[in-house]
Amino acid sequence: MDTAALHERLLAITRPDTLNDWELEEQSAVIAALTEPLQEEILRHYQAIWPVSHGLAALFLHHLPRALGCLVPEQLGEWTRAVLAAYEKEGLRGADTFMAAVESNFLCRLRGESALALAAALPRLRPYVQGLAGPLYDLDLAPASQAATDTATLFLPHEIGLFREERQNFLLYKLLASLLWAQVATGTYRWQWRPEEPLVAGLAGRYGTRPDPGLAPLSGFFRLFPQPELAEELFTLAETSRLLAFLEQELPGLMGEMRPLFPLILEQRPATGDLLDRGAAIETIRRFSCGENASVADTPLAPLAEILHPLTAPRATVGDAALAAARLYESIAALPASGSLSAPLPFAIALRPAEAQAARARRQQEDKSRFINALAALLPATASPTSEEAEQGKGGTTGQKETDTALLVPGTTAAIPQPTIILAEGAETLTVENQTIRLPPETKRLGQRIAVDLGQVPQEYVSAAAGLAGSGYQPHGHGQAAEESAPLQAPFVYDEWDFRRNGFRKEWCALYEKEILPTRGTFVESVTRKHRGLLLRLRRQFEMMRPAERFVRRQQDGDDLDLDAIVEALADAAAGQAPSDRLFVRLRRDQRQIAVVFLVDMSSSTEGWVSTAIKESLLLMCEALD
């Protein structure tokens, strides 16, 4: 295609008078140097880029000669899409940087040889984590400088580029997420110790330290050592060995995929050599975590690996890891300190005891409130004391059966007889006076999570629910507020279509009407605090909307005369009536024309993280609109 024809094609794409003569000459020269089939291909991509950004189209041709030195024609379409994606994400400057390095920014990613960003891994990683967590845990994912968890959020590195292939980097992301989930599931942060325990008392006696009950359990344990940082490092390594053994049992498929990567990780680790110092000892433990045993079998460091062997048992506990850390410390602290320690393992996870303790406390309080409320809605109203029973209770406990549950009423000192209420182990059913009530899935899930977190559902939760029986009032307050909550009304029963049987299930759905009194919770506060930055950006976007103009008539002052008001005032004056002084029109810009409709799926199929995401989205939108 000659230069004149290229001029016509470019002008047809860009429209006349859009390009300067020198721009037309420069861009035509770039395309004219190509073969004719390739010219048609480039013009087609240029036509796709031009409406998006004129500057981006010029940069596309500027970087094209260098790109064609690396790309084959079949890859041009993929490169063009990547260029547009870079422009939409990072603007013109980001797209320019992307096109300038075709090899590293595009071809390496195309071959899977570049670092994998967490943002790119999240669409696959989030469903995997939710599958691991199951119904008992609501785990979120967030970027951080180092992998860690506070039992509510799994923090993962911003990107992983240890391996050349993207699949291997994603597999390392899966291993990190699985280890963090294992911390939550096996109770790393639920571990409690008592000062009189042999391990704690022995450490305090050996090193002359004193337990500090004001700290989180793990932090207090590390303070029992003269060098808490070294103790934390050794506990982390011991706990990693325990968690890897747990994953071998629970997720053999994942560990089977991960096993070939361990030798690749070891190849990048420094050799321990023949030195017998602290750095070599810690590197030996790290290599043991990667499955290397042969290199330390006949060395003075072999006893360190023997200390870790019990942690590879499937039923090893956090206490076993703490004991192993104490034994490792005793051996390693006596070694000479090396100049600097080697880098941590790529799947090393940091500990956040204080943050985990705070997150657990918040979750326990929320679960307690929700569980009591849900249980109270299931209990019949007869499970709560009536006024007559309360009067009888003031006179004593005469006639109380031994099997009855006692409930203390505020303002009295006597126990009032209550029906026997028994919560089955595992929170599966509730028995009230020999009548069994099967708990709904959400309530059962709450009970099971409380039982896992605390060892059992405390009896006080059941007693509190009995005090609110039939009302389901949130237990943020007591007394009058609870008494005024409306009881459940008789249900309305409906049929429901069952696609499996191609027919209706008769009287399958029950609808209960109930007045819910306003209560206070922590959800709004926690969400607005967690997403403060996003909320500010949403508000700013709405504030950027131009307010609509409207005229307000019959004002005492304004921007123009109100002709209708003037005619009416003249007519009133002619009729002998006092005319109005509101004769002006004022222009106001104080309203934005916006309408919002929310369609929310609140069925049980969205319970868990999906439901939480829906509620958080609604809250943020409403806050921004407000």
Side-chain angles (χ1 to χ4, degrees):
M1 191 181 302
D2 57 19
T3 305
L6 278 174
H7 283 189
E8 292 180 5
R9 291 288 301 275
L10 286 175
L11 290 174
I13 294 173
T14 62
R15 295 183 299 276
D17 302 328
T18 303
L19 289 178
N20 297 323
D21 292 339
W22 65 268
E23 290 176 323
L24 189 62
E25 290 291 340
E26 186 180 69
Q27 296 185 14
S28 298
V30 173
I31 302 176
L34 307 175
T35 61
E36 188 163 346
L38 195 54
Q39 289 177 355
E40 292 292 341
E41 183 75 7
I42 296 303
L43 286 171
R44 186 169 63 85
H45 296 312
Y46 182 86
Q47 187 173 3
I49 296 175
W50 177 265
V52 177
S53 168
H54 300 174
L56 181 63
L59 284 174
F60 175 79
L61 292 181
H62 173 72
H63 291 290
L64 185 63
R66 182 184 301 174
L68 291 176
C70 303
L71 304 174
V72 296
E74 290 76 13
Q75 294 174 328
L76 281 173
E78 188 68 28
W79 185 59
T80 302
R81 287 190 289 273
V83 168
L84 289 170
Y87 172 77
E88 292 171 354
K89 184 178 181 181
E90 302 176 8
L92 198 59
R93 180 174 297 180
D96 186 21
T97 304
F98 176 83
M99 288 186 284
V102 181
E103 177 70 25
S104 59
N105 289 339
F106 177 70
L107 285 178
C108 288
R109 294 184 183 181
L110 201 63
R111 295 193 296 260
E113 297 177 359
S114 63
L116 176 63
L118 178 60
L122 277 180
R124 292 176 289 168
L125 204 57
R126 197 181 297 278
Y128 170 75
V129 170
Q130 294 303 326
L132 282 182
L136 291 185
Y137 303 101
D138 296 323
L139 298 178
D140 197 7
L141 295 174
S145 58
Q146 192 174 4
T149 182
D150 62 356
T151 73
T153 303
L154 306 186
F155 299 98
L156 296 169
H158 293 85
E159 66 175 22
I160 294 179
L162 183 67
F163 305 106
R164 289 177 61 86
E165 296 184 14
E166 181 183 302
R167 183 191 67 84
Q168 294 173 325
N169 290 325
F170 178 73
L171 195 58
L172 187 54
Y173 262 130
K174 285 181 67 174
L175 178 63
L176 282 171
S178 302
L179 286 169
L180 295 174
W181 162 76
Q183 272 194 336
V184 178
T186 63
T188 298
Y189 294 109
R190 293 197 300 268
W191 180 58
Q192 302 285 339
W193 51 265
R194 296 185 300 277
E196 64 272 13
E197 289 183 6
L199 173 61
V200 177
L203 292 173
R206 182 181 301 116
Y207 300 118
T209 53
R210 299 177 60 184
D212 188 348
L215 297 174
L218 282 179
S219 299
F221 177 73
F222 301 145
R223 293 292 181 89
L224 295 173
F225 297 86
Q227 301 179 51
E229 295 81 8
L230 177 60
E232 182 175 352
E233 171 72 18
L234 296 176
F235 175 84
T236 302
L237 290 172
E239 182 69 354
T240 299
S241 296
R242 184 186 75 86
L243 295 177
L244 287 172
F246 172 78
L247 294 181
E248 285 280 3
Q249 182 184 17
E250 296 295 322
L251 304 174
L254 170 69
M255 299 308 293
E257 286 185 289
M258 191 68 200
R259 204 168 288 115
L261 301 185
F262 286 133
L264 300 179
I265 295 175
L266 289 172
E267 289 177 2
Q268 304 180 36
R269 304 295 302 174
T272 56
D274 298 328
L275 295 177
L276 188 61
D277 59 14
R278 189 174 298 178
I282 292 179
E283 183 60 30
T284 298
I285 299 173
R286 288 172 176 161
R287 286 179 167 272
F288 178 81
S289 298
C290 289
E292 185 182 63
N293 298 323
S295 65
V296 299
D298 300 324
T299 67
L301 298 174
L304 299 180
E306 292 298 325
I307 294 175
L308 295 175
H309 268 300
L311 298 178
T312 59
R315 298 188 180 277
T317 64
V318 186
D320 296 329
L323 178 60
R327 295 178 60 191
L328 290 172
Y329 185 94
E330 187 176 356
S331 301
I332 293 177
L335 297 176
S338 55
S340 60
L341 296 178
S342 57
L345 290 169
F347 53 85
I349 50 181
L351 295 175
R352 296 187 176 185
E355 296 177 29
Q357 186 178 39
R360 285 189 64 219
R362 289 194 300 269
R363 184 176 64 249
Q364 288 172 5
Q365 186 61 35
E366 292 174 1
D367 288 350
K368 175 182 178 181
S369 176
R370 292 169 58 195
F371 183 76
I372 292 175
N373 176 58
L375 205 59
L378 292 172
L379 292 173
T382 54
S384 59
T386 63
S387 58
E388 182 179 349
E389 290 171 332
E391 290 297 326
Q392 294 176 356
K394 292 179 182 179
T397 58
T398 305
Q400 179 179 348
K401 298 179 182 179
E402 294 182 359
T403 57
D404 286 347
T405 302
L407 177 70
L408 291 179
V409 178
T412 70
T413 58
I416 300 174
Q418 295 297 310
T420 303
I421 302 175
I422 302 173
L423 182 67
E425 186 175 355
E428 295 283 345
T429 59
L430 186 71
T431 303
V432 182
E433 288 295 329
N434 297 325
Q435 181 181 357
T436 301
I437 302 173
R438 184 165 296 277
L439 298 183
E442 176 65 20
T443 308
K444 182 172 68 174
R445 183 177 74 90
L446 272 174
Q448 291 172 342
R449 188 161 71 185
I450 292 170
V452 169
D453 213 22
L454 303 179
Q456 62 177 354
V457 179
Q459 182 59 35
E460 63 182 271
Y461 290 15
V462 181
S463 300
L468 303 173
S471 66
Y473 179 73
Q474 286 281 1
H476 297 291
H478 299 282
Q480 184 178 1
E483 294 171 4
E484 291 177 355
S485 58
L488 291 172
Q489 303 297 318
F492 299 89
V493 182
Y494 298 92
D495 301 340
E496 183 179 28
W497 179 262
D498 187 346
F499 72 95
R500 297 178 184 84
R501 63 170 64 177
N502 197 29
F504 284 95
R505 287 180 177 268
K506 299 298 182 182
E507 299 182 350
W508 188 254
C509 297
L511 174 64
Y512 292 83
E513 283 188 341
K514 175 186 168 189
E515 181 182 355
I516 305 296
L517 296 181
T519 59
R520 295 183 61 186
T522 61
F523 181 77
V524 174
E525 180 182 355
S526 62
V527 171
T528 52
R529 183 174 62 250
K530 175 182 176 183
H531 299 288
R532 186 181 296 108
L534 176 59
L535 184 57
L536 289 175
R537 291 197 300 272
L538 284 173
R539 284 175 175 165
R540 194 173 296 117
Q541 285 182 322
F542 282 117
E543 288 168 355
M544 290 171 63
M545 297 177 62
R546 184 176 179 180
E549 297 179 349
R550 66 188 183 101
F551 289 101
V552 182
R553 300 184 179 278
R554 300 183 186 278
Q555 301 295 307
Q556 290 182 336
D557 57 78
D559 306 299
D560 203 350
L561 295 173
D562 187 345
L563 296 181
D564 292 340
I566 291 175
V567 171
E568 186 174 329
L570 291 174
D572 290 340
Q577 298 181 4
S580 172
D581 60 348
R582 296 180 175 272
L583 306 176
F584 296 91
V585 175
R586 185 182 300 164
L587 178 64
R588 287 186 179 176
R589 298 183 180 90
D590 58 356
Q591 291 183 351
R592 291 182 175 88
Q593 298 296 330
I594 182 171
V596 180
V597 175
F598 296 112
L599 177 61
V600 183
D601 181 2
M602 296 300 292
S603 64
S604 60
S605 61
T606 62
E607 68 177 353
W609 71 271
V610 176
S611 177
T612 302
I614 291 174
K615 290 190 289 186
E616 289 182 351
S617 303
L618 284 175
L619 174 60
L620 291 175
M621 280 296 295
C622 291
E623 286 286 335
L625 289 169
D626 185 61

